[in-house]
């Protein structure tokens, strides 16, 4: 069974970069890597996703290892509003033309002022 | 656009009762899914749908039923509630069925079964 593993928690100082790691050692070649974040009492919010190449958007960057067995979410300058639980997930083919999103257990990011 | 909406926000049930959690989206998305979130377990997929009339099971489907008669709506039915179904339930949708598309999540329904 494919597993996605993340550290339980991380801390960062405000305005410093944050690198959130994820291991997905059994990922298949067609699985996309997705990252979501969740604030208390809210639904998960999309952050970024990618397949093989590194990706950038207004929120973050995603660095994907060449063998795709790991990825890193990069927040370039952490703010207090970035304090959340960050979920690494894998969007994998489940047969019959459909895909399932499988989540890791999340990393709780604390940002220190 | 309202995005993904869920009702109710909170619900308390007694063991054995049945109920339906409602989910709707106004983005014309093909793919819709239901997750449950328990402490320390992350989000786990219950059921999903790749279009009207098509549903399939996820990781933890037992005790739940779904149907999809329209593109917009994807209700989740608890047939006979059990305390193990106490959880926060999230509905999500995306434009397509492949991993290339981001998922949009609703605000969640917090369910307690006594």
């Amino acid at each position: 069974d494919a597993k996605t593993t993340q550290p339980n928690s991380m801390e960062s100082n405000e305005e410093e970069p944050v690198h959130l790691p994820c291991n997905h050692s059994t990922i298949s070649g067609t699985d996309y890597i997705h990252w979501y974040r969740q604030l208390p009492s809210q639904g998960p919010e999309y952050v970024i996703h990618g397949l093989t190449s590194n990706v950038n958007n207004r929120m973050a960057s995603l660095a994907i290892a060449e063998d795709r067995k790991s990825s890193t979410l990069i927040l370039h300058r952490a703010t207090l509003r970035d304090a959340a639980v960050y979920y690494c997930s894998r969007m994998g083919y489940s047969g019959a033309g459909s895909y399932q999103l499988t989540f890791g257990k999340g990393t709780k990011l604390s940002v220190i002022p | 656009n309202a995005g993904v909406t869920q009702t109710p926000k909170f619900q308390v049930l007694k063991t054995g009762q049945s109920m339906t959690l409602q989910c709707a989206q106004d983005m014309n998305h093909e793919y819709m899914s239901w997750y449950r979130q328990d402490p320390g377990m992350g989000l786990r997929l219950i059921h999903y749908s790749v279009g009207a009339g098509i549903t399939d099971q996820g990781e933890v489907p037992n005790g739940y039923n779904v149907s999809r008669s329209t593109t917009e709506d994807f209700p989740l039915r608890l047939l006979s509630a059990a305390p193990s179904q106490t959880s926060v339930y999230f509905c999500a949708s995306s434009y397509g069925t492949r991993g290339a598309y981001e998922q949009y999540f609703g605000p969640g329904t917090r369910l307690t079964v006594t």
Side-chain angles (χ1 to χ4, degrees):
Chain A
D1 184 26
K3 289 195 182 297
T4 303
T5 56
Q6 307 176 246
N8 288 336
S9 62
M10 291 183 65
E11 273 188 358
S12 173
N13 293 320
E14 196 176 9
E15 298 190 1
E16 289 189 357
V18 183
H19 290 232
L20 297 164
C22 179
N23 285 318
H24 26 78
S25 57
T26 56
I27 194 169
S28 76
T30 57
D31 290 355
Y32 279 80
I33 299 157
H34 286 232
W35 282 82
Y36 293 83
R37 72 181 186 182
Q38 187 177 27
L39 297 170
S41 301
Q42 294 190 21
E45 173 191 27
Y46 168 79
V47 177
I48 199 166
H49 75 280
L51 183 60
T52 55
S53 305
N54 294 345
V55 183
N56 300 299
N57 66 20
R58 63 175 180 80
M59 289 181 73
S61 296
L62 175 61
I64 301 172
E66 197 170 334
D67 63 6
R68 296 194 356 107
K69 293 185 185 304
S70 65
S71 63
T72 302
L73 177 69
I74 303 163
L75 307 179
H76 296 287
R77 286 178 71 245
T79 69
L80 296 178
R81 288 178 298 177
D82 291 325
V85 178
Y86 286 79
Y87 290 98
C88 176
S89 57
R90 179 182 61 86
M91 190 73 167
Y93 184 62
S94 59
S98 64
Y99 289 74
Q100 294 188 20
L101 194 60
T102 305
F103 284 81
K105 295 188 178 179
T107 297
K108 183 175 183 179
L109 175 66
S110 301
V111 179
I112 303 164
Chain B
N1 284 354
V4 180
T5 57
Q6 292 184 239
T7 55
K9 284 190 176 3
F10 302 95
Q11 182 71 49
V12 178
L13 288 179
K14 293 190 188 313
T15 297
Q17 287 185 318
S18 62
M19 79 158 294
T20 300
L21 279 63
Q22 301 291 345
C23 173
Q25 52 88 11
D26 60 358
M27 298 174 280
N28 202 30
H29 283 172
E30 277 186 71
Y31 186 93
M32 295 185 74
S33 53
W34 277 100
Y35 295 86
R36 60 177 289 174
Q37 185 173 41
D38 303 296
M41 300 294 292
L43 290 106
R44 292 181 293 169
L45 182 66
I46 304 171
H47 284 285
Y48 65 96
S49 169
V50 299
I54 307 168
T55 64
D56 206 345
Q57 296 180 353
E59 182 185 355
V60 288
N62 292 340
Y64 306 95
N65 227 349
V66 292
S67 61
R68 184 128 176 244
S69 56
T70 67
T71 300
E72 295 78 20
D73 300 299
F74 190 44
L76 178 73
R77 296 183 192 83
L78 279 68
L79 308 172
S80 176
S84 61
Q85 293 179 304
T86 293
S87 188
V88 182
Y89 291 84
F90 291 100
C91 179
S93 74
S94 69
Y95 177 71
T97 59
R98 296 190 61 226
Y101 302 100
E102 65 187 86
Q103 301 275 319
Y104 293 81
F105 284 83
T109 294
R110 186 174 294 273
L111 175 68
T112 302
V113 183
T114 61

